[in-house]
Amino acid sequence: NISSKAKLGITEDFICYVGSFDKDHKPEYILPAFKLISEQYSSINLYMVGSGPNLKSVKMQAEELGISNRVKFTGRVENSLVPFYINGSIFCINPTITQRNRIVGMIGDKSLEYASCGKVQIVPSLKGIPIELVKVNAAIAVGDTSVPDNIVKAAVFLIENEELRGRMNNNSRFKIEDGWNLSSFKTKLLDSVSALDE
């Protein structure tokens, strides 16, 4: 965590969002929640890593909320730097909710990325990868992420419980290494194929 921050030249504690600024990823859901968090924790900032068509409007939203001095927009960064932002953060937020997610669940590519960096995350309550992470205590599902208080409650819990947060980080990494690797997928595939033969 400290070495990741040092690598990026960041000294303060921060919460992280990494992803696209578009209609599907919903980074705008984070800002009203962060406004409330920032009022409670004066030393924690929000880093928003990425770019996209809605970046300008999200920046304007931060200005309108009066938190632009506490929200750091990095724009697109080198892929090699992304794990440092994730790893250096206190926790990550994956706010994505689309109609498609509600129906078919969430593939959660960002959730996989956060977990593979060993970082606990706040996610919507949707079936799919996020809920699988919740089952192993590697993420907190908060219902509807468009409701700021839902994110805030989970954020405060994670900020205040450092030891538990560390265990959740380890759970995230373990889930990727143990459950979602090529070897485990191969085993599951072979098991399902042999079940067809029976």
Side-chain angles (χ1 to χ4, degrees), residues 29-198:
Y29 286 178
I30 299 172
L31 294 184
F34 181 71
K35 180 177 171 65
L36 298 170
I37 295 162
S38 70
E39 288 164 1
Q40 213 168 329
Y41 300 95
S42 59
S43 62
I44 296 174
N45 286 338
L46 170 64
Y47 273 73
M48 302 197 84
V49 181
S51 64
N54 293 355
L55 177 56
K56 193 173 174 183
S57 69
V58 176
K59 281 183 175 178
M60 281 173 56
Q61 182 191 13
E63 281 177 35
E64 286 162 10
L65 288 167
I67 54 172
S68 51
N69 61 325
R70 301 282 300 279
V71 182
K72 314 296 180 186
F73 292 95
T74 68
R76 187 178 299 281
V77 301
E78 291 280 325
N79 284 343
S80 61
L81 292 178
V82 169
F84 292 104
Y85 281 102
I86 295 170
N87 205 266
S89 69
I90 303 172
F91 59 84
C92 294
I93 304 177
N94 185 356
T96 309
I97 297 183
T98 64
Q99 275 308 112
R100 184 182 166 278
N101 290 149
R102 290 181 196 281
I103 297 161
V104 302
M106 199 166 162
I107 300 301
D109 55 337
K110 279 299 143 203
S111 280
L112 284 174
E113 194 171 2
Y114 293 157
S116 65
C117 290
K119 194 55 60 175
V120 61
Q121 57 192 287
I122 293 172
V123 295
S125 298
L126 293 170
K127 62 186 178 183
I129 283 166
I131 290 303
E132 294 305 308
L133 289 167
V134 170
K135 285 178 187 173
V136 296
N137 202 23
I140 298 178
V142 298
D144 186 344
T145 49
S146 70
V147 178
D149 273 352
N150 291 353
I151 293 176
V152 172
K153 282 177 194 160
V156 168
F157 176 79
L158 288 172
I159 291 165
E160 294 292 337
N161 291 281
E162 188 176 353
E163 196 177 311
L164 178 59
R165 196 172 72 228
R167 289 202 297 273
M168 293 177 86
N169 288 342
N170 291 336
N171 293 345
S172 300
R173 186 72 193 194
F174 183 76
K175 179 66 179 172
I176 294 291
E177 290 175 352
D178 188 58
W180 289 333
N181 58 56
L182 283 176
S183 174
S184 67
F185 282 128
K186 181 179 165 189
T187 304
K188 284 173 192 161
L189 180 63
L190 291 173
D191 286 349
S192 56
V193 169
S194 62
L196 292 173
D197 293 336
E198 290 170 6

